[in-house]
Amino acid sequence: MVDEPNDLKIFHLNLPATPEDIARLEIGAIVYLTGMVYTAREGVYQKVLGEGLPLPVDLRSLSNVNFHCSPAAAPDAAGGYNVGAVTATASFRFSKWMPDWFRMSGTRIVIGKGGMPAEDYAKVFVPAGAVYLTTVGYGTGALLGRGIKRVHDVFWLEELGIAQAMWMFDVENFGPFIVESDLQGNSLFARHGEQINAGIEALYAGLKPPALHRYGETDNRKKEVM
């Protein structure tokens, strides 16, 4: 389902997401998810791809959405877990794992913070038929936590800890997330970066060089990290 208030497209996807639903996602659109989302980051990738351990569940039948995050999870009185908030982590750190992970897990949507390198979208995401969703800035962890209705299961909690364990979340209207990359490999962040960089020299024209420097810094405004 898609809503378009004030020309902003909002998609509501049931999971596992179908190829048709994923193909409809446009960069800059808002997405909410209902179904099952799982977490996997370097700890899980190392166990499965590095050490060769089998996946603890049949991901292809349950979920095709991988959230790079750290949940604020605590045991509840019923022997399960409550998740009060969930904080996305930077996905670019996991680039080396993604080609093999897509192939073995069937993942088609990755959620995280900050996006992936543009070349990863072209060389890894597009061939896999996958897209990237980014969280909406900082301070939304508690908002996202409201969308987690139940912890379906958790794996490798003792070995890896809360942040690195593989969590299976039943979610409802989980979001909002922004479509950062689409099936063609277009990137919202890259597109806006190009627009900003096109006028950045004029923006800084006439200003003196910065007075303070740290080792490794650059005077190239297009390479600044804000």
Side-chain angles (χ1 to χ4, degrees), residues 8-85:
L8 178 63
K9 289 191 175 182
I10 301 177
F11 292 88
H12 297 265
L13 302 188
N14 291 320
L15 306 178
T18 66
E20 293 76 17
D21 282 341
I22 295 173
R24 295 165 61 217
L25 299 180
E26 304 172 13
I27 60 171
I30 300 297
V31 178
Y32 292 87
L33 306 171
T34 295
M36 187 175 294
V37 171
Y38 74 90
T39 73
R41 44 191 292 188
E42 66 266 39
V44 172
Y45 296 154
Q46 174 60 29
K47 277 192 170 293
V48 177
L49 300 177
E51 301 173 18
L53 296 181
L55 285 168
V57 292
D58 179 11
L59 278 181
R60 290 178 183 272
S61 67
L62 296 173
S63 176
N64 54 4
V65 181
N66 180 182
F67 193 4
H68 292 153
C69 71
S70 176
D76 62 20
Y81 296 89
N82 288 322
V83 179

Side-chain angles (χ1 to χ4, degrees), residues 6-217:
N6 301 318
D7 297 325
L8 178 63
K9 289 191 175 182
I10 301 177
F11 292 88
H12 297 265
L13 302 188
N14 291 320
L15 306 178
T18 66
E20 293 76 17
D21 282 341
I22 295 173
R24 295 165 61 217
L25 299 180
E26 304 172 13
I27 60 171
I30 300 297
V31 178
Y32 292 87
L33 306 171
T34 295
M36 187 175 294
V37 171
Y38 74 90
T39 73
R41 44 191 292 188
E42 66 266 39
V44 172
Y45 296 154
Q46 174 60 29
K47 277 192 170 293
V48 177
L49 300 177
E51 301 173 18
L53 296 181
L55 285 168
V57 292
D58 179 11
L59 278 181
R60 290 178 183 272
S61 67
L62 296 173
S63 176
N64 54 4
V65 181
N66 180 182
F67 193 4
H68 292 153
C69 71
S70 176
D76 62 20
Y81 296 89
N82 288 322
V83 179
V86 60
T87 303
T89 193
S91 295
F92 71 89
R93 299 180 293 134
F94 313 131
S95 286
K96 69 175 183 178
W97 304 109
M98 299 316 299
D100 289 337
W101 189 254
F102 283 143
R103 281 192 291 271
M104 79 170 308
S105 70
T107 296
R108 294 298 176 261
I109 297 176
V110 175
I111 307 172
K113 178 178 70 175
M116 305 287 287
E119 57 268 25
D120 282 8
Y121 294 140
K123 296 179 180 179
V124 180
F125 278 66
V126 171
V131 300
Y132 187 95
L133 308 182
T134 183
T135 51
V136 183
Y138 290 93
T140 57
L143 176 62
L144 293 177
R146 296 174 190 171
I148 298 174
K149 299 307 177 184
R150 184 173 73 98
V151 174
H152 180 83
D153 216 334
V154 59
F155 304 98
W156 297 313
L157 180 58
E158 290 187 7
E159 300 100 311
L160 298 178
I162 291 176
Q164 296 280 349
M166 186 175 189
W167 296 86
M168 311 291 295
F169 296 140
D170 288 325
V171 302
E172 183 178 351
N173 292 324
F174 187 46
F177 303 107
I178 301 174
V179 181
E180 147 61 2
S181 82
D182 61 17
L183 286 182
Q184 289 70 50
N186 299 307
S187 166
L188 179 69
F189 292 162
R191 178 174 296 181
H192 284 279
E194 291 171 358
Q195 294 173 350
I196 292 170
N197 286 340
I200 203 165
E201 296 299 337
L203 179 65
Y204 285 98
L207 295 180
K208 296 180 179 179
L212 298 178
H213 293 271
R214 292 176 296 182
Y215 180 75
E217 284 189 342

